Amino acid sequence: MPSRVIFGASTRHQLAAELERLGLKRPLLLSTPQQVGMVANLGATLPQVAGYYGRATMHTPTHITEDALAQLQSLNADSLVALGGGSTTGLGKALALRSGLPQIVLPTTYAGSEMTPILGETQDGRKTTIRDLRVLPGTVIYDVELTLGLPVLISASSGMNALAHAAEALYAPDANPVTSLMALDAVRALARSLPRIVQNPSDLSARSDALYGAWLCGTVLGAVGMSLHHKLAHVLGGSFDLPHAESHAALLPHTVAYNAAGVPEVMRQLAGALGTDTAAAGRYALNGRLGNTLALRDLGMPESGIEEAADIAMEKPYPNPVPLERGRIRDLLACAWVGASPQE
């Protein structure tokens, strides 16, 4: 993907120079409500800003995008700077799609969305996805220091979200040797770094390793197609407003188990990268070690939603290593709803 990546420690201080290099003078700075202080500190390092928008929301609801777009137009901004995780990055992408303005992203989580030309938007309880180079950020500034304040539980679930990208990249219909190498290295990097972060959230080396893994995961997510796991994650987010990263983490062992029989060599590689006997059980065990929520019911999904989610997942066909069967998907969701061990 044609993005410029700046990676290291204290790299956020290169934002002003990057805006100058691009000839941009009036950025609109985006954040979630929880990160308005952080984005204000970032804006103070710039010679000029058009303004701030601090209402980025999970799953990129279109009414928030329209509100931000009105402010963007009133301020006559010439660019977008997004500081945060998938919520803020998603808003920046949605605004870029509608305005044509260039984007710079400074990630604070391991979501990986910043490396993809993919935008997921939610309207009327349904989340839809588009793939369009117009939403791909032009510059991504990875500053490991921005992840030091990421709470342990969010770090853990965000890291498992990234691992989902790597897993599905390995059995994507358009996978290739390069994306597969990147995906496996990402799994190794995250498997060794996330437990260290849980033990010591200030471990800069572990944080850097995790951010490197997240960059790899985002890169492969943007390069190849995704399958059942990402479809179900979008259903849970768009239709039930479940937290994005936590839903990915809870689902991942079960979607891997669903596909295990269809791609045994990929499962062997995934298990090897994790250092476990099987891929699905290894991810379930890693979730437990990291303290992630194992059950969808504990994330707010109603039991009645199992049938609805299975129906939505079957509405539009999409590539998957094994056939998509409503009954099996329903059983997968039921298992994930109670947080039981995955059924291979």
Side-chain angles (χ1 to χ4, degrees):
M1 291 293 144
S3 295
R4 170 174 159 83
V5 175
I6 301 170
F7 194 101
S10 300
T11 50
R12 63 190 180 280
H13 299 303
Q14 297 183 39
L15 175 59
E18 187 64 12
L19 287 166
E20 183 179 5
R21 184 185 73 85
L22 296 169
L24 304 172
K25 300 182 183 300
R26 292 182 54 79
L28 176 66
L29 274 62
L30 309 173
S31 75
T32 61
Q34 295 78 18
Q35 293 176 308
V36 291
M38 185 183 294
V39 82
N41 291 336
L42 182 68
T45 68
L46 304 178
Q48 186 177 359
V49 300
Y52 299 85
Y53 187 85
R55 295 185 59 204
T57 304
M58 186 172 60
H59 307 306
T60 318
T62 54
H63 72 275
I64 293 292
T65 299
E66 295 304 322
D67 184 55
L69 183 62
Q71 181 172 332
L72 175 69
Q73 294 169 338
S74 70
L75 294 171
N76 195 30
D78 65 1
S79 53
L80 302 158
V81 173
L83 173 78
S87 298
T88 310
T89 302
L91 176 60
K93 289 179 169 185
L95 292 173
L97 181 67
R98 290 161 171 80
S99 68
L101 293 182
Q103 306 171 72
I104 298 176
V105 179
L106 292 90
T108 62
T109 72
Y110 308 127
S113 173
E114 66 278 352
M115 291 304 301
T116 78
I118 302 168
L119 168 63
E121 295 185 290
T122 302
Q123 185 173 19
D124 299 327
R126 292 294 178 97
K127 191 169 187 178
T128 57
T129 303
I130 67 164
R131 183 181 285 262
D132 191 317
L133 280 176
R134 290 178 295 173
V135 307
L136 179 71
T139 301
V140 180
I141 300 176
Y142 286 105
D143 185 342
V144 65
E145 292 174 358
L146 291 177
T147 68
L148 287 173
L150 192 64
V152 166
L153 288 179
I154 298 178
S155 299
S157 59
S158 181
M160 291 298 289
N161 179 10
L163 281 172
H165 309 332
E168 293 222 304
L170 286 166
Y171 51 69
D174 50 352
N176 62 67
V178 175
T179 58
S180 295
L181 283 171
M182 296 175 77
L184 286 171
D185 202 29
V187 174
R188 287 187 285 266
L190 287 161
R192 65 176 175 255
S193 61
L194 292 175
R196 291 168 57 199
I197 290 171
V198 170
Q199 293 173 356
N200 179 11
S202 300
D203 186 333
L204 195 65
S205 174
R207 290 283 187 183
S208 183
D209 215 14
L211 199 58
Y212 162 72
W215 165 73
L216 287 173
C217 290
T219 300
V220 297
L221 173 64
V224 299
M226 296 287 112
S227 301
L228 175 63
H229 175 88
H230 283 77
K231 174 65 175 182
L232 289 178
H234 278 194
V235 170
L236 297 182
S239 299
F240 303 100
D241 199 33
L242 299 195
H244 182 77
E246 291 88 339
S247 299
H248 272 280
L251 271 177
L252 183 57
H254 305 280
T255 53
V256 168
Y258 185 101
N259 286 320
V263 281
E265 177 57 22
V266 167
M267 294 300 151
R268 186 192 66 78
Q269 293 174 327
L270 278 171
L274 279 175
T276 58
D277 292 334
T278 65
R283 273 155 178 73
Y284 186 78
L286 181 58
N287 261 340
R289 288 178 63 197
L290 299 178
N292 284 327
T293 300
L294 301 177
L296 294 177
R297 64 183 176 190
D298 294 334
L299 297 176
M301 184 180 179
E303 187 172 11
S304 59
I306 294 172
E307 301 292 344
E308 181 183 350
D311 287 338
I312 298 172
M314 294 295 295
E315 285 180 354
K316 295 180 180 179
Y318 44 91
N320 196 65
V322 301
L324 298 171
E325 302 174 9
R326 188 198 178 281
R328 287 195 64 204
I329 292 175
R330 189 264 174 213
D331 291 344
L332 179 164
L333 289 166
C335 191
W337 189 79
V338 298
S341 298
Q343 299 175 357
E344 294 193 50

